[in-house]
Amino acid sequence: MLDKNKLDWIYNKLFTIRFFEERIKKIAKEKSVPGYLHTCIGSEAICVGVMAALNKDDWISSTYRNHGHAIAKDCNLNQITSEIYGRSTGICKGRGGSMHISDFDRGMLGSFGIVAAGPPVVLGAALQEKINNGSKNSVSFFGDGAIHNGAFHEAAGLAKLWNIPMLFVCENNGYAEATATDWHLNTKELSDISKAYDMIAYSGNGNDVFEVFNLTNKALKESRNKQTPIFLEFKNYRFSGQYEGDTQLYQPEEEIENAKKNDPIKLAIDNAKNHNLTKDDIEKYKKNALDTVNSAFDFADTQPWPKGEDALEEVYVNYPREVN
Amino acid sequence: MLDKNKLDWIYNKLFTIRFFEERIKKIAKEKSVPGYLHTCIGSEAICVGVMAALNKDDWISSTYRNHGHAIAKDCNLNQITSEIYGRSTGICKGRGGSMHISDFDRGMLGSFGIVAAGPPVVLGAALQEKINNGSKNSVSFFGDGAIHNGAFHEAAGLAKLWNIPMLFVCENNGYAEATATDWHLNTKELSDISKAYDMIAYSGNGNDVFEVFNLTNKALKESRNKQTPIFLEFKNYRFSGQYEGDTQLYQPEEEIENAKKNDPIKLAIDNAKNHNLTKDDIEKYKKNALDTVNSAFDFADTQPWPKGEDALEEVYVNYPREVN
Amino acid sequence: MPIKTVKEAINDALVQSFENDKNVILMGEDIAGGKGREQYRGTQDAWGGPFGVTQGLFTKFGGERVRDTTIAEAGFFGAAVGAAMTGLRPIVELMYVDFAGVCFDQMMNQAAKVRYMFGGKQKVPMVVRTVVGAGFRAGSEHSQTLYSLYTHIPGLKVVAPYDAYDAKGLLLSSIQDDDPVIFMEHKRLYMTSCEVPDDLKPIPLGKGKIRKNGSDVTIVAIQRMNLFAEEAAKELENNNISCEIIDPRSYSPLDEDLIYTSVKKTGRVIIVDESNPKCSLASEISSLISENCFSDLKSGVIKITAPHTPVPFSPPMEDFYIPSSKKIGNAAKELLNA
Amino acid sequence: MPIKTVKEAINDALVQSFENDKNVILMGEDIAGGKGREQYRGTQDAWGGPFGVTQGLFTKFGGERVRDTTIAEAGFFGAAVGAAMTGLRPIVELMYVDFAGVCFDQMMNQAAKVRYMFGGKQKVPMVVRTVVGAGFRAGSEHSQTLYSLYTHIPGLKVVAPYDAYDAKGLLLSSIQDDDPVIFMEHKRLYMTSCEVPDDLKPIPLGKGKIRKNGSDVTIVAIQRMNLFAEEAAKELENNNISCEIIDPRSYSPLDEDLIYTSVKKTGRVIIVDESNPKCSLASEISSLISENCFSDLKSGVIKITAPHTPVPFSPPMEDFYIPSSKKIGNAAKELLNA
Ligand SMILES: Cc1ncc(C[n+]2csc(CCOP(=O)(O)OP(=O)(O)O)c2C)c(N)n1
Ligand SMILES: Cc1ncc(C[n+]2csc(CCOP(=O)(O)OP(=O)(O)O)c2C)c(N)n1
Ligand SMILES: [Mg+2]
Ligand SMILES: [Mg+2]
């Protein structure tokens, strides 16, 4: 049985991510934030389940679809929101935007806009841990579409060859943009991709936060014990479009309806009683999460814009500004 | 039983490649040719066996280790030699050199100096055949080292997804530069790499020209019938160094001695009687091949150098020269 | 004459090219969209790329010629090279030019060099259509221009239209061209429009265009920068400064003569390029003018570019990053006081 | 003082950096060599890369820090970025810069941008060692320089030493630097030698060097081109033409002041760059001079570069391709008659 603190954390995060994304979707419709937004409704259990198995300072990489990872990695929600709003107190000082929400101090190596850019970077962090006998875990998140990209393959091959403990976590959410996974897969199972590297692989239900948590825990231990990378596939469904504004016409209504039965938030609520959580507990989590989200947006709304010239900061370490 | 013409062709080519490479190695030692030379002693059976199964105008790609492929693809040996010598009558007009020996008129899409650059290009040729209902086969040659490169994986994945008939021919010669294949492989068998794409794969003895020929024939038919790519691995041994000048210290002497027992030329001679070929036939082939090789070098020796300004030709199709 | 957006003009050029030459094909990620869900009503052409530019092509020309790919740019760019060599005229879409780095080898070492290094027998009639440019609040990895990466490489041609008219005419040419062409579309220009005749002829590559005649200063403007050049020129009329605006349209080959003729007349040059400054098109054009028109110059050639930083996300910073009509105007005033 | 080749100097700098900082590691293809055959006598350090530059490091520092890779540049370049962010100082070898295209994304979008776009918390102290240059009869895909591809990208630093002294001093600095540095070694310079003190201090990046003082014409020479600049300068003495030769050594950042000071003195500039001309370092430097020193110039800045072609293989053509001292001499004479 999970301890209460952990359960509180898990449920709070699940609701926070869901409420945050729902709020962002609304704001996106009103066109009141700049730039692209890739929300992750349907991925909450993967974000939270994996992160629940990690330590605070473990390394992860994320993608443009990073809000859930950032929230689950305990990044500051006010700063996240401020970043999405393009304000100077944003988590990346307004330079990143929604696609690049990331906080190195929380172990986020980066949210990469280039598909499959993350796995090699995480391999490097894991290599560093290995060389320095470090204890941090290293986990790369990517989508089903990324498994076709050469950078993923090169990272996987080197990780296996060098016996690097790390997790390749593939979120199989049924779509890469407008392309269905069952069309783009060459193999019966997505995780068969790991056979090219004789890499241990497990698949799990990405809608069940506890299954995700347990499988990740198991994989982390095995990966460390055997000093080898492990491939984890979590199946879920992308309720969000590729980005806000996507018509999603290619996602059949029956498919969405079916997927709703396994909505990770719904499942977590259904599972609550197994963890001795009451309806009241759930209501408390929800209220908590909603408050957190609301105050983040209130915060962001009042934050100052950066100055234009701030664009010149921090390109390099050892000289503060580039003149032009 | 193979017809006599085919047999003549196979044996002539085997000896021509071997004698050509031996001559080049000698010349390289005397440092009388410019640039890098990557010879293919030990690969003759793969070059000849695959090409014997192909039609003259089928598409292939090769690498920097291309002499054998070019000879087996019936490129003009005088022009090949002249190219290696950097002369204006070379097969690439002296612009390519040994690493880029290639003749488009013989179906060679190119000899690429970038590892794994060939597979995507051949995929494109095969796609063109498919779209145009063409009948040419498409075969990409690459080494064991190339299977770790992203470009190979991306080509393999797309070929499978698009049901493109083509052959991925991997010459597993035991080494990628100074790195032994048994070190760099992640899987038990090299051909396991194809499991990532649920691609049909066969392995064969790359020292036995007849086995190579038969397996290629079979794969070509199956690939066309099933409209699917096929991965072929041929195992052999790289008697040559990575390039001429390589000390090869990392290739253990016992290993070389062992490999000699399966030298593809030796094997072909041993097999001759199974094909009703006599000792005399063999001697005739040898003499023939040696004459061809000798006259190619004699030819090249007398050929004119290009002029410096010839460097400016044929960068683009529609204007002949770039001025500078 | 019909008014078209750049987006429509490009779609028109594609349709026309598909109709005129059955060897034209298109490959890219979700250039049709909805793959695997075609059975679902109305979704077989669900996207047309992220900007909808290729919408309708799949329905018109079918899946053999309009091919959705996986996220494997090195794979399908290499395939385009092989297909082009063997008889097709493939167009590949690089969704954002920011992804150039995952398939740069296929352009730099294969597309650009096979003809030359294999003795002149092959040709590679392929087009890379790609989306460039800042101003969309799209952050550091979806906003670059990277014109100069491709322009540097011999064997490639580089084209970047400003308006719908040029977009159509130059794309028609690019598809007919026998060399590999990088065709760069600016995301902030897609919805701009102008008159485009239905029977527009292909516009030859390598020919620039004088967008405005003038006598005091030559502004060479790269793609979207023509907008700001025009704004600045209008404003500068109040100061009695007459600007000549030149849009080279094609960067490799470059219409040097058109530029030199203008410089001879004005003796003053400002080059405006949205790219990062170092080794940019602005640098290239400036260096050519310095070498070839020195005696015509009344002052040094001014480059107005983005700073040497990645593209920032937040609107005030991104606006600061992009060259502005104000910067152009100030530079022109300074030049004419000097 | 000991005489060292460039190759030895680089090896020395590597050994010294490995000894001084246990976070320094090296990754690349056959940078040790003999993997899988270590049991075989004497082959555990069989290669040291194709030019033997890293020979001995594996034996001295072991396989944890000196790591042979597969042919997976995107994989291990990305790994270097992650390792650098988390505390190591990785050096990666790109065997020939011609392979830049297979791992350009890792440098352009990750190494160069993570610090900036993620808010300044990360740093990426990595070095890419790579081999550039023509003159080796190595053909179109093993002879490029591609300096400008990297120089164009904000967030990267680019360094290219000419002699053994600079090679050692600049490599020491590059490894200590907290930003990603592209360190370019010219294959035709490896065996050239000069005096290199054993206790040579790191040479700061971004500082150029006057290789020869002179008064009539400034020759800015890129890496190996210093050789031809010196030859030409010697020859030009016979014509009473006094050349000042400047080796910028580092291209991003660039020592603009050193160049401008020289231009002020001479008023005439020739830039020699072995690269293809368009959007090259030569273009960049020329454009800076035009913008910043116009009133000092007596004539237009001359660029001497390779032509806009791939590098041809055959000796006469390759020799024609590479800028020569004769071309420099002729240009200088023309400048001074003008
Ligand atoms: C190299 C590269 N190519 C293309 C893109 C454009 N793109 C962004 S997201 C995406 C689909 C990714 O799908 P998947 O990996 O399944 O992740 P998901 O969005 O479902 O989380 C594509 C093609 C990109 N960002 N990078
Ligand atoms: C992308 C790239 N990386 C590195 C190299 C350098 N290189 C040339 S050959 C080679 C080894 C290739 O081994 P393999 O594929 O087994 O082919 P073989 O030489 O054995 O035929 C390497 C690493 C290259 N040419 N291209
Ligand atoms: Mg997905
Ligand atoms: Mg091999």
Side-chain angles (χ1 to χ4, degrees):
Chain A
M1 184 62 68
L2 284 169
D3 79 29
K4 187 62 175 21
N5 282 341
K6 199 72 166 185
L7 281 170
D8 289 350
W9 187 89
I10 287 174
Y11 276 85
N12 264 318
K13 286 295 179 194
L14 284 174
F15 286 116
T16 306
I17 297 174
R18 173 62 58 97
F19 293 158
F20 185 82
E21 295 295 57
E22 282 176 345
R23 176 75 166 265
I24 279 284
K25 283 173 99 71
K26 208 173 128 245
I27 288 174
K29 258 210 189 106
E30 299 159 356
K31 300 217 186 305
S32 49
V33 279
Y36 289 107
L37 289 161
H38 305 78
T39 58
C40 71
I41 297 208
S43 305
E44 295 85 351
I46 303 174
C47 302
V48 175
V50 172
M51 247 57 96
L54 296 182
N55 299 311
K56 294 248 170 301
D57 56 357
D58 284 344
W59 302 116
I60 69 158
S61 74
S62 179
T63 68
Y64 47 89
R65 199 181 303 287
N66 55 45
H67 303 170
H69 299 135
I71 293 172
K73 201 72 175 74
D74 273 337
C75 295
N76 180 298
L77 198 66
N78 287 2
Q79 287 181 15
I80 291 176
T81 318
S82 186
E83 184 65 32
I84 293 173
Y85 275 39
R87 307 306 168 89
S88 65
T89 56
I91 203 159
C92 309
K93 300 180 183 164
R95 290 199 298 261
S98 162
M99 275 201 270
H100 301 302
I101 302 283
S102 191
D103 188 347
F104 188 70
D105 292 342
R106 306 281 161 162
M108 285 185 81
L109 296 161
S111 288
F112 299 105
I114 309 297
V115 165
V121 172
V122 174
L123 165 67
L127 171 66
Q128 176 276 132
E129 293 296 322
K130 188 173 173 111
I131 289 179
N132 286 333
N133 291 312
S135 59
K136 296 187 189 175
N137 298 302
S138 304
V139 176
S140 180
F141 290 94
F142 52 89
D144 48 282
I147 63 162
H148 298 292
N149 193 276
F152 159 72
H153 284 275
E154 297 193 3
L158 282 168
K160 182 69 196 325
L161 181 69
W162 283 346
N163 306 310
I164 305 292
M166 67 175 282
L167 303 189
F168 290 91
V169 176
C170 182
E171 174 177 326
N172 181 353
N173 61 8
Y175 286 92
E177 290 188 350
T179 299
T181 308
D182 47 23
W183 182 79
H184 74 67
L185 268 195
N186 284 311
T187 49
K188 228 175 109 256
E189 289 297 325
L190 183 144
S191 58
D192 289 347
I193 202 91
S194 65
K195 290 184 180 168
Y197 308 103
D198 203 5
M199 194 188 290
I200 298 167
Y202 302 109
S203 288
N205 177 0
N207 293 317
D208 180 346
V209 70
F210 298 104
E211 182 169 336
V212 173
F213 173 68
N214 290 329
L215 194 53
T216 306
N217 256 332
K218 175 182 142 170
L220 285 171
K221 280 202 198 83
E222 185 173 0
S223 165
R224 190 161 288 281
N225 287 342
K226 297 191 177 155
Q227 291 287 299
T228 195
I230 290 182
F231 186 95
L232 287 184
E233 175 204 10
F234 292 115
K235 293 181 198 187
N236 71 325
Y237 189 75
R238 198 193 73 197
F239 289 100
S240 297
Q242 160 63 14
Y243 55 83
E244 292 315 300
D246 184 358
T247 57
Q248 297 183 256
L249 281 178
Y250 53 88
Q251 291 180 249
E253 270 154 39
E254 314 85 74
E255 188 184 89
I256 298 176
E257 285 312 310
N258 261 330
K260 277 190 184 156
K261 295 178 201 147
N262 300 310
D263 179 304
I265 302 293
K266 181 178 162 295
L267 245 54
I269 296 174
D270 293 351
N271 272 331
K273 54 184 174 309
N274 303 336
H275 297 277
N276 294 336
L277 296 175
T278 63
K279 279 220 166 111
D280 270 7
D281 288 326
I282 296 291
E283 288 314 307
K284 233 187 300 169
Y285 294 138
K286 281 188 174 177
K287 188 182 170 328
N288 224 334
L290 202 60
D291 286 350
T292 315
V293 168
N294 281 336
S295 66
F297 280 89
D298 290 345
F299 172 83
D301 244 347
T302 64
Q303 294 304 295
W305 294 98
K307 287 196 296 291
E309 314 88 75
D310 294 347
L312 302 174
E313 302 288 346
E314 294 181 320
V315 181
Y316 295 93
V317 174
N318 67 355
Y319 44 109
R321 281 192 176 233
E322 260 304 299
V323 277
N324 185 37
Chain B
M1 183 64 68
L2 283 169
D3 80 28
K4 188 62 174 20
N5 281 341
K6 197 75 169 183
L7 280 170
D8 289 351
W9 187 89
I10 287 174
Y11 276 86
N12 264 320
K13 287 292 178 194
L14 283 173
F15 285 116
T16 305
I17 297 173
R18 175 61 58 95
F19 293 158
F20 185 82
E21 294 295 58
E22 282 175 345
R23 177 73 166 266
I24 278 284
K25 284 174 97 73
K26 208 173 130 247
I27 287 174
K29 258 209 189 103
E30 298 159 357
K31 300 215 188 302
S32 48
V33 278
Y36 289 107
L37 289 162
H38 304 80
T39 58
C40 70
I41 297 209
S43 305
E44 295 86 351
I46 302 174
C47 302
V48 175
V50 172
M51 248 58 94
L54 296 182
N55 299 311
K56 294 248 171 298
D57 55 358
D58 284 344
W59 302 114
I60 68 158
S61 75
S62 179
T63 69
Y64 47 89
R65 200 179 303 286
N66 56 44
H67 303 170
H69 298 135
I71 293 172
K73 202 72 175 71
D74 275 336
C75 296
N76 180 298
L77 198 66
N78 288 3
Q79 288 180 16
I80 291 175
T81 318
S82 186
E83 184 66 31
I84 293 171
Y85 274 41
R87 307 306 169 91
S88 64
T89 56
I91 202 159
C92 310
K93 302 181 182 161
R95 290 199 299 259
S98 162
M99 275 202 269
H100 301 302
I101 302 283
S102 191
D103 188 347
F104 189 70
D105 292 341
R106 306 279 162 167
M108 286 184 80
L109 296 161
S111 288
F112 298 105
I114 310 297
V115 165
V121 172
V122 174
L123 165 65
L127 170 66
Q128 175 276 132
E129 292 296 323
K130 188 173 172 109
I131 289 179
N132 287 332
N133 290 311
S135 59
K136 296 186 188 175
N137 297 302
S138 304
V139 175
S140 179
F141 290 94
F142 52 90
D144 48 281
I147 63 161
H148 298 291
N149 193 278
F152 160 71
H153 284 274
E154 297 193 2
L158 282 169
K160 182 68 194 328
L161 181 68
W162 284 345
N163 307 309
I164 305 292
M166 66 175 283
L167 303 188
F168 290 91
V169 176
C170 182
E171 174 176 326
N172 181 354
N173 61 8
Y175 287 93
E177 288 187 350
T179 298
T181 307
D182 47 23
W183 183 79
H184 74 66
L185 267 194
N186 285 312
T187 48
K188 229 175 107 260
E189 290 297 327
L190 184 143
S191 57
D192 289 347
I193 202 91
S194 64
K195 291 184 181 169
Y197 308 103
D198 203 5
M199 195 188 288
I200 297 167
Y202 301 109
S203 287
N205 178 359
N207 293 318
D208 180 346
V209 71
F210 298 104
E211 182 169 336
V212 173
F213 173 67
N214 290 329
L215 195 52
T216 307
N217 258 331
K218 176 182 142 170
L220 285 172
K221 279 202 200 84
E222 185 173 0
S223 164
R224 191 162 288 281
N225 287 341
K226 298 190 174 155
Q227 290 287 297
T228 195
I230 291 182
F231 187 94
L232 288 184
E233 176 203 9
F234 291 115
K235 294 181 196 188
N236 72 325
Y237 189 74
R238 197 193 72 196
F239 289 100
S240 296
Q242 160 62 14
Y243 55 84
E244 293 314 300
D246 184 359
T247 57
Q248 298 183 255
L249 282 177
Y250 53 89
Q251 291 180 248
E253 271 154 38
E254 314 85 76
E255 186 183 271
I256 298 174
E257 284 314 309
N258 261 330
K260 277 189 184 155
K261 293 178 202 147
N262 299 309
D263 180 304
I265 302 294
K266 181 178 162 296
L267 245 55
I269 296 174
D270 292 351
N271 273 331
K273 53 182 176 311
N274 303 336
H275 296 277
N276 294 337
L277 296 175
T278 64
K279 278 219 168 109
D280 270 7
D281 288 328
I282 296 292
E283 288 313 309
K284 233 185 300 168
Y285 295 138
K286 281 187 173 176
K287 191 183 167 325
N288 224 332
L290 202 59
D291 286 351
T292 315
V293 167
N294 282 337
S295 66
F297 280 88
D298 291 346
F299 172 84
D301 244 347
T302 64
Q303 293 305 293
W305 294 98
K307 288 196 296 292
E309 315 87 76
D310 295 346
L312 302 174
E313 302 287 346
E314 293 180 322
V315 180
Y316 295 92
V317 174
N318 66 355
Y319 44 109
R321 282 193 177 236
E322 259 307 298
V323 280
N324 187 35
Chain C
M1 229 188 300
I3 305 274
K4 301 261 179 173
T5 62
V6 168
K7 194 171 129 174
E8 290 165 341
I10 290 171
N11 190 286
D12 284 357
L14 290 170
V15 169
Q16 198 169 305
S17 302
F18 264 79
E19 283 169 350
N20 288 347
D21 186 345
K22 69 170 192 18
N23 287 312
V24 175
I25 68 163
L26 183 66
M27 298 190 276
E29 292 145 19
D30 294 294
I31 51 164
K35 273 277 156 298
R37 294 292 178 272
E38 294 93 337
Q39 69 281 15
Y40 190 70
R41 191 164 35 102
T43 62
Q44 64 165 10
D45 212 341
W47 262 40
F51 296 93
V53 177
T54 55
Q55 182 116 44
L57 287 171
F58 181 91
T59 303
K60 280 201 189 75
F61 303 105
E64 273 307 278
R65 294 176 69 191
V66 180
R67 308 185 76 89
D68 274 7
T69 67
T70 52
I71 309 168
E73 286 87 356
F76 71 83
F77 272 60
V81 177
M85 282 198 258
T86 57
L88 295 180
R89 291 191 172 272
I91 306 166
V92 281
E93 178 166 307
L94 183 61
M95 192 180 289
Y96 293 86
V97 77
D98 308 71
F99 312 156
V102 302
C103 53
F104 201 66
D105 182 60
Q106 282 65 35
M107 295 317 296
M108 172 171 93
N109 282 325
Q110 280 77 253
K113 293 187 177 43
V114 292
R115 175 173 177 76
Y116 184 84
M117 75 180 170
F118 300 143
K121 289 185 175 174
Q122 281 108 316
K123 47 184 192 176
V124 186
M126 69 181 277
V127 176
V128 177
R129 283 186 46 245
T130 188
V131 176
V132 309
F136 222 73
R137 318 316 188 193
S140 301
E141 295 184 342
H142 291 74
S143 304
Q144 298 168 84
T145 51
L146 303 180
Y147 305 116
S148 66
L149 293 191
Y150 293 105
T151 303
H152 183 60
I153 306 298
L156 302 181
K157 293 177 176 171
V158 180
V159 176
Y162 170 60
D163 63 20
Y165 184 100
D166 285 353
K168 181 168 178 189
L170 289 168
L171 184 52
L172 289 172
S173 274
S174 299
I175 296 170
Q176 288 174 12
D177 201 273
D178 278 339
D179 290 311
V181 179
I182 316 291
F183 188 86
M184 303 175 111
E185 306 168 7
H186 197 295
K187 56 173 88 63
R188 282 297 304 271
L189 296 174
Y190 272 140
M191 299 312 291
T192 64
S193 51
C194 71
E195 289 190 338
V196 184
D198 283 332
D199 59 350
L200 181 65
K201 293 271 154 313
I203 299 171
L205 307 187
K207 289 283 158 225
K209 183 170 183 170
I210 300 178
R211 289 210 162 265
K212 181 185 169 308
N213 286 297
S215 52
D216 293 327
V217 53
T218 301
I219 306 177
V220 182
I222 311 295
Q223 206 170 22
R224 181 166 180 240
M225 299 302 101
N226 279 284
L227 175 66
F228 303 132
E230 280 173 17
E231 284 175 13
K234 203 159 290 169
E235 169 72 25
L236 287 163
E237 279 172 13
N238 302 330
N239 302 286
N240 282 322
I241 298 177
S242 157
C243 302
E244 178 143 308
I245 302 177
I246 294 192
D247 177 1
R249 300 193 295 195
S250 141
Y251 300 100
S252 188
L254 177 72
D255 193 345
E256 298 182 25
D257 290 341
L258 188 75
I259 297 171
Y260 300 159
T261 306
S262 178
V263 175
K264 238 179 209 74
K265 182 164 61 171
T266 63
R268 300 180 192 88
V269 193
I270 297 169
I271 307 171
V272 198
D273 182 353
E274 183 188 321
S275 306
N276 296 120
K278 293 179 196 275
C279 305
S280 60
L281 287 178
S283 313
E284 172 61 14
I285 296 170
S286 168
S287 72
L288 290 172
I289 294 171
S290 176
E291 185 153 352
N292 295 290
C293 310
F294 183 75
S295 58
D296 303 314
L297 284 176
K298 295 174 185 141
S299 42
V301 177
I302 306 295
K303 299 195 287 182
I304 297 180
T305 67
H308 184 61
T309 76
V311 186
F313 159 69
S314 175
M317 292 195 281
E318 197 185 31
D319 292 342
F320 172 87
Y321 174 94
I322 302 169
S324 62
S325 54
K326 194 165 155 207
K327 277 190 196 152
I328 301 171
N330 289 345
K333 285 178 213 158
E334 226 173 276
L335 273 183
L336 274 124
N337 291 340
Chain D
M1 228 190 298
I3 304 273
K4 302 262 178 173
T5 62
V6 167
K7 193 170 130 174
E8 290 164 342
I10 290 171
N11 191 285
D12 285 358
L14 290 171
V15 168
Q16 199 169 304
S17 301
F18 264 79
E19 282 169 348
N20 288 347
D21 187 345
K22 69 170 194 16
N23 287 312
V24 175
I25 69 164
L26 183 66
M27 299 190 274
E29 291 146 19
D30 294 293
I31 52 165
K35 273 280 157 293
R37 295 294 179 268
E38 295 92 337
Q39 69 280 18
Y40 190 71
R41 189 165 37 100
T43 61
Q44 65 164 11
D45 213 341
W47 261 40
F51 295 93
V53 176
T54 55
Q55 182 115 46
L57 287 171
F58 180 92
T59 305
K60 281 200 190 77
F61 302 106
E64 273 304 280
R65 295 177 67 192
V66 181
R67 307 185 79 88
D68 274 6
T69 67
T70 52
I71 309 168
E73 286 87 356
F76 70 84
F77 271 60
V81 176
M85 280 198 258
T86 57
L88 295 179
R89 289 191 173 273
I91 306 166
V92 282
E93 179 167 306
L94 182 62
M95 192 181 286
Y96 292 87
V97 78
D98 309 71
F99 311 158
V102 303
C103 53
F104 201 66
D105 182 61
Q106 283 65 35
M107 296 316 296
M108 172 172 92
N109 282 325
Q110 281 77 252
K113 293 185 179 39
V114 292
R115 175 173 177 75
Y116 185 84
M117 73 180 171
F118 300 143
K121 289 185 173 174
Q122 282 107 318
K123 46 187 194 177
V124 186
M126 68 180 279
V127 176
V128 177
R129 283 186 46 249
T130 188
V131 176
V132 308
F136 223 71
R137 318 316 186 191
S140 302
E141 295 184 341
H142 291 74
S143 304
Q144 299 167 83
T145 51
L146 302 181
Y147 304 117
S148 66
L149 294 191
Y150 293 106
T151 303
H152 182 60
I153 306 297
L156 302 180
K157 293 176 175 172
V158 180
V159 176
Y162 171 60
D163 64 20
Y165 184 100
D166 285 352
K168 180 168 179 189
L170 289 169
L171 184 53
L172 289 172
S173 275
S174 299
I175 297 171
Q176 289 174 12
D177 200 273
D178 277 339
D179 290 311
V181 178
I182 316 291
F183 188 86
M184 302 176 114
E185 306 168 9
H186 198 295
K187 57 174 86 65
R188 282 296 305 270
L189 295 174
Y190 272 139
M191 299 312 291
T192 64
S193 52
C194 71
E195 289 191 336
V196 184
D198 284 331
D199 60 351
L200 180 64
K201 293 273 155 310
I203 299 171
L205 307 187
K207 289 283 156 225
K209 185 171 182 170
I210 299 176
R211 291 213 160 265
K212 182 185 169 308
N213 286 296
S215 52
D216 294 328
V217 54
T218 300
I219 306 179
V220 182
I222 311 294
Q223 206 170 24
R224 181 167 180 241
M225 299 303 101
N226 279 284
L227 176 66
F228 303 131
E230 279 172 19
E231 284 175 15
K234 203 159 286 167
E235 169 72 24
L236 287 164
E237 279 172 14
N238 302 330
N239 303 286
N240 281 322
I241 297 176
S242 158
C243 301
E244 178 143 306
I245 303 178
I246 293 193
D247 177 1
R249 301 194 293 196
S250 142
Y251 300 100
S252 188
L254 177 71
D255 193 345
E256 297 181 27
D257 289 341
L258 189 75
I259 296 170
Y260 300 159
T261 307
S262 178
V263 175
K264 241 180 204 69
K265 181 165 62 172
T266 63
R268 299 181 192 86
V269 193
I270 297 169
I271 307 170
V272 198
D273 183 353
E274 181 187 323
S275 307
N276 297 119
K278 292 178 197 278
C279 305
S280 61
L281 287 178
S283 312
E284 172 61 14
I285 296 170
S286 169
S287 72
L288 290 172
I289 294 170
S290 175
E291 185 153 353
N292 294 290
C293 311
F294 182 75
S295 58
D296 302 314
L297 285 176
K298 295 173 185 142
S299 43
V301 177
I302 307 293
K303 299 195 288 181
I304 298 180
T305 67
H308 184 61
T309 75
V311 186
F313 159 71
S314 175
M317 291 194 282
E318 196 185 31
D319 293 343
F320 171 87
Y321 174 94
I322 302 170
S324 63
S325 54
K326 193 162 153 213
K327 277 189 196 154
I328 301 170
N330 288 345
K333 284 178 213 158
E334 227 173 274
L335 274 184
L336 274 123
N337 290 342

